[in-house]
Each structure stands twice: as C-alpha cells, then as structure tokens.
C-alpha cells in the first residue's frame, strides 16, 4: 500500500511539473518583471535617440529666436517710420544708448512716443539705437 501511495504522490508531482512546464515562461516571467539587460537596452536606445534629437531641436529653437528678433526690428522700424510720417518729422534726436522702452522715446521737435500709438509691444525684447534720420539698429537680444 505504501508503495502505491508513493507512486501516486510521485505521479501527481510529475503531472504538476509537466503542467507548469507548459506555462513556465509566462507565469514566472510575469512575477519577475524586466531583466537588467532589457532595462539597459531600453536606456541605451533612449540615450541614442536623445543624442540625435537634442541638437536638431536646438537648431529649430535658435532659428526661431533669430527670426523673432528680425521681425521685432522690422516692427520697431515701421513704428518709427509711421510716427515720423504722421507727424511730418524729417529727423529725430539720435539715441546712442540702447533702449527697449518706447513710452517716452524718441524725442525731438514734433515727435511723440512710439508706444502705445505706433508700437503695441512695450518694452521690446531687444534693445535699439537710432540715428537722426530714424534708422533703427538692433542691440542686444535674448
């Protein structure tokens, strides 16, 4: 009897082992999580993607800043020209010190401040100087 019990217990263990061996890869894997090698591969791929994409993004952002500064220069020059034409002024007091606040600039006979009538954005991002003819020059920009 005891021999048959031993063989019955042994056969049930064998059945369990065979049943588990079919699902061994998925059942054990779900409990363990990711291996160190898999995590290192993913981190390596992310590092390569970052190394490739960051310089490209910097180029795009740099070009955008340059274009924004050029557009602002055009807007400030147009505001100066419009103010001079509206007031029939041929020349203004030159400004050698860079300025970004046009609520009191430019000065001179018959002139009026560029902001808020002729220039909506005040203060500007960049600084500007101008000569007596109203020609604007861009100074420092962020």
């Amino acid at each position: 009897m005891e021999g048959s019990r031993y063989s019955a217990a042994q056969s049930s263990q064998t059945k369990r082992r065979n049943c588990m061996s079919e699902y061994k890869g998925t059942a054990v894997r779900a409990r363990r999580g990711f291996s160190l090698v898999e995590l290192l591969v993913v981190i390596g791929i992310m590092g390569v993607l970052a190394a490739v994409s960051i310089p490209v993004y910097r180029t795009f952002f740099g070009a955008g800043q340059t274009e924004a500064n050029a557009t602002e220069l055009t807007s400030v020059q147009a505001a100066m020209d419009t103010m001079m034409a509206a007031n029939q002024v041929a020349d203004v007091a030159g400004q050698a010190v860079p300025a970004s606040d046009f609520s009191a600039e430019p000065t001179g006979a018959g002139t009026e401040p560029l902001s808020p009538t002729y220039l909506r954005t005040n203060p500007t991002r960049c600084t500007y100087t101008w000569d007596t003819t109203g020609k604007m020059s861009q100074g420092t920009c962020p």
Side-chain angles (χ1 to χ4, degrees):
M1 284 262 193
E2 200 168 308
S4 66
R5 238 192 274 158
Y6 180 73
S7 64
Q10 186 179 17
S11 69
S12 69
Q13 283 180 346
T14 306
K15 285 181 185 177
R16 265 189 250 134
R17 256 189 244 134
N18 288 341
C19 184
M20 287 300 287
S21 67
E22 293 175 21
Y23 301 106
K24 185 176 181 183
T26 57
V28 173
R29 180 120 176 116
R31 284 182 280 167
R32 277 191 313 160
F34 296 107
S35 70
L36 180 61
V37 173
E38 291 170 330
L39 291 174
L40 289 175
V41 167
V42 170
I43 290 170
I45 290 171
M46 290 173 60
V48 168
L49 289 174
V52 169
S53 63
I54 288 174
V56 173
Y57 289 131
R58 284 188 182 161
T59 302
F60 287 137
F61 289 129
Q65 290 294 329
T66 304
E67 287 298 319
N69 295 339
T71 302
E72 187 179 82
L73 173 61
T74 304
S75 297
V76 172
Q77 183 64 59
M80 178 70 86
D81 294 342
T82 304
M83 185 276 300
M84 290 175 73
N87 294 324
Q88 298 176 351
V89 176
D91 55 352
V92 294
Q95 176 79 14
V97 178
S100 64
D101 184 5
F102 292 98
S103 59
E105 299 290 344
T107 58
T111 64
E112 60 181 298
L114 294 182
S115 177
T117 307
Y118 303 103
L119 188 64
R120 291 184 181 185
T121 306
N122 193 43
T124 57
R125 293 171 25 108
C126 302
T127 58
Y128 298 92
T129 58
W130 55 91
D131 61 13
T132 56
T133 63
K135 172 80 171 120
M136 304 295 281
S137 298
Q138 200 167 43
T140 58
C141 295

